[in-house]
Amino acid sequence: MTYTLDIDPTVTAAIDRCCSLNIPFAALVAPGERHMTFFASLPDPDNPINKIDVETNPDWEGLAITNFDQFDPPYMVGIEASLSAREILDLPSSTKPFPEADLGPQEYSTPYPAYYVQVHEITTANKREGAKTVLSRVVAGHTSRPLSAIIQECFTTFPSTFRFVYFTQETGLWIGATPEVLLDYNYSTSELTTMSLAGTRPASDSGASWDEKNLVEHDVVTGHIMATLLRANLNPEVYDATPLRYGDVEHLCERIRAKGKVDVFNLIHNLAPTPAVNGFPYFNAQEQILAYELHERYCYGGTLAYKHGQEVNAYVNLRSALLAFEGQQDILYNIYCGGGIMPTSVAADEWREAAMKIGPLYQAFNRDNTFEHPSLKEISTGQFVSDK
């Protein structure tokens, strides 16, 4: 049966108005759902810092966000569910824009020669350490396609993922469709579920045995999650691994369940970033990411925690892009993608794997785009020239 997504025109108009006035907002679609949830909150014009402390304010509801490398000192950015789409549209026409985002996308893509050198040097170091480093890259471009059309295609293409578009002054404007659950928690029942999602291969290989590289990556992620849950005085149970498809790739996934009272947002901080987006050993991977990557990750690889009623649904920010408007309509975007660099990794293979992950989102940006842009084949092979 064909999947359709119900997007209220009022919500589309509210997103456009929030973008023009720099009002923090979130529009979310849960896995399998056909309805988009929208909410927004007005920042303090004299101190537009959207910092929250959920544990000391248990009635707070909305979207809590962390960066990949956390903030310094660590805190969560929050978009409170205090204003509806209708209330955004009913704001006076005289409403002045709030401060713009503190950051934005870069103009240039990660060049393949630099990536090749990065992988070569990381694999050389990781052979000595038996380590893994998740190396990310950026595909930058311009699009003339309306944001509403990008949202519609992105959200419709991946019905089994958590889909999101949000803006705050601290984070900028992001869109994505992530397959990776960090945790789901119910305060009433004290039930927690999470997943170990690591290992990537073409969906065409489905049914074959997973290679050693992917199995090792996956086992390390599972071990990290289990150890973190045990330290939180939980007794987790791991279910059999199954493939989880995302577009033209599939991942190895193990579901994990536990039950008990926990400080949910402290647990989120302890779980993230997992080895699936960082690597192992933890500090070794962090140092290499900081040393080799030519861009800031910002929210990519960070967390998104949607608190509503007695539930928290937290996800890892993957398959996503940072956007910024240039003029009234044109958009500059950075699509993020990455993969685990192991001692046996080959740069060309890792480059192609990352390109497979971003393919559908790249198409959502560039369908009917009047700006010149490379083909997916060029992005996959590295045979294209960066914008800068």
Side-chain angles (χ1 to χ4, degrees):
M1 186 172 68
T2 302
Y3 174 82
T4 57
L5 178 64
D6 175 26
I7 301 182
D8 189 329
T10 303
V11 169
T12 301
I15 291 173
D16 288 342
R17 190 154 199 222
C18 285
C19 289
S20 65
L21 293 175
N22 301 319
I23 295 174
F25 78 92
L28 314 172
V29 183
E33 293 292 326
R34 297 177 181 273
H35 174 72
M36 179 184 290
T37 298
F38 173 92
F39 50 84
S41 58
L42 297 179
D44 182 343
D46 298 320
N47 186 29
I49 298 177
N50 304 290
K51 179 180 178 180
I52 59 164
D53 185 350
V54 177
E55 293 303 326
T56 60
N57 185 9
D59 295 328
W60 187 90
E61 295 190 358
L63 184 68
I65 306 158
T66 65
N67 270 5
F68 166 75
D69 56 357
Q70 307 292 336
F71 296 94
D72 189 17
Y75 70 92
M76 283 186 163
V77 170
I79 304 168
E80 186 174 4
S82 59
L83 294 175
S84 67
R86 184 71 265 165
E87 288 171 318
I88 289 295
L89 296 180
D90 287 343
L91 290 173
S93 58
S94 59
T95 303
K96 295 181 179 180
F98 291 91
E100 296 181 352
D102 297 331
L103 54 88
Q106 63 189 36
E107 289 277 353
Y108 53 89
S109 301
T110 303
Y112 180 73
Y115 183 87
Y116 179 91
V117 172
Q118 292 165 3
V119 172
H120 174 73
E121 294 187 0
I122 290 172
T123 53
T124 301
N126 287 356
K127 285 176 183 176
R128 295 192 298 267
E129 304 292 336
K132 165 192 168 182
T133 301
V134 178
L135 185 67
S136 69
R137 66 182 177 101
V138 166
V139 174
H142 293 80
T143 183
S144 57
R145 198 173 193 202
L147 179 60
S148 59
I150 296 170
I151 293 172
Q152 179 74 49
E153 180 164 346
C154 175
F155 284 22
T156 302
T157 302
F158 300 108
S160 63
T161 67
F162 178 71
R163 289 143 286 171
F164 57 88
V165 56
Y166 66 85
F167 169 85
T168 74
Q169 277 72 20
E170 290 89 346
T171 62
L173 177 62
W174 286 80
I175 185 174
T178 178
E180 185 166 354
V181 176
L182 187 66
L183 64 83
D184 290 327
Y185 187 76
N186 187 298
Y187 286 99
S188 298
T189 64
S190 300
E191 292 177 335
L192 181 146
T193 60
T194 182
M195 67 165 59
S196 172
L197 188 71
T200 303
R201 67 183 183 185
S204 57
D205 291 346
S206 185
S209 298
W210 287 82
D211 62 27
E212 183 179 0
K213 172 183 179 292
N214 281 302
L215 291 174
V216 170
E217 285 188 67
H218 181 79
D219 289 345
V220 169
V221 175
T222 301
H224 165 78
I225 294 172
M226 294 291 286
T228 305
L229 296 182
L230 288 169
R231 286 195 297 271
N233 297 316
L234 297 172
N235 187 23
E237 181 180 1
V238 183
Y239 291 77
D240 290 342
T242 57
L244 181 65
R245 183 160 180 167
Y246 183 95
D248 293 332
V249 299
E250 70 174 10
H251 306 289
L252 195 56
C253 175
E254 283 179 319
R255 308 285 178 175
I256 301 171
R257 298 183 184 275
K259 189 170 184 177
K261 298 289 186 182
V262 294
D263 180 337
V264 180
F265 287 88
N266 184 60
L267 184 57
I268 289 172
H269 279 298
N270 291 335
L271 281 170
T274 72
V277 295
N278 180 72
F280 61 85
Y282 177 85
F283 290 108
N284 176 78
Q286 284 269 307
E287 288 178 357
Q288 289 186 334
I289 289 168
L290 291 173
Y292 287 106
E293 289 188 353
L294 304 177
H295 54 270
E296 294 286 346
R297 289 194 182 188
Y298 300 126
C299 290
Y300 174 73
T303 64
L304 303 166
Y306 176 37
K307 184 175 183 291
H308 53 109
Q310 294 298 306
E311 294 186 25
V312 176
N313 309 118
Y315 298 83
V316 181
N317 184 328
L318 297 176
R319 311 297 193 270
S320 58
L322 172 63
L323 325 177
F325 282 93
E326 296 188 323
Q328 294 296 314
Q329 183 63 59
D330 296 339
I331 294 172
L332 170 64
Y333 62 84
N334 284 176
I335 304 177
Y336 289 77
C337 54
I341 308 303
M342 303 285 285
T344 57
S345 293
V346 177
D349 294 340
E350 296 295 338
W351 183 272
R352 281 192 295 270
E353 178 183 302
M356 283 194 299
K357 294 175 182 176
I358 70 161
L361 185 55
Y362 184 80
Q363 290 175 331
F365 277 104
N366 288 295
R367 200 178 305 281
D368 304 321
N369 182 16
T370 59
F371 283 96
E372 184 177 350
H373 56 279
S375 67
L376 281 174
K377 181 179 180 180
E378 290 171 320
I379 289 175
S380 297
T381 61
Q383 296 175 352
F384 70 96
V385 179
S386 308
D387 291 339
K388 292 285 184 179

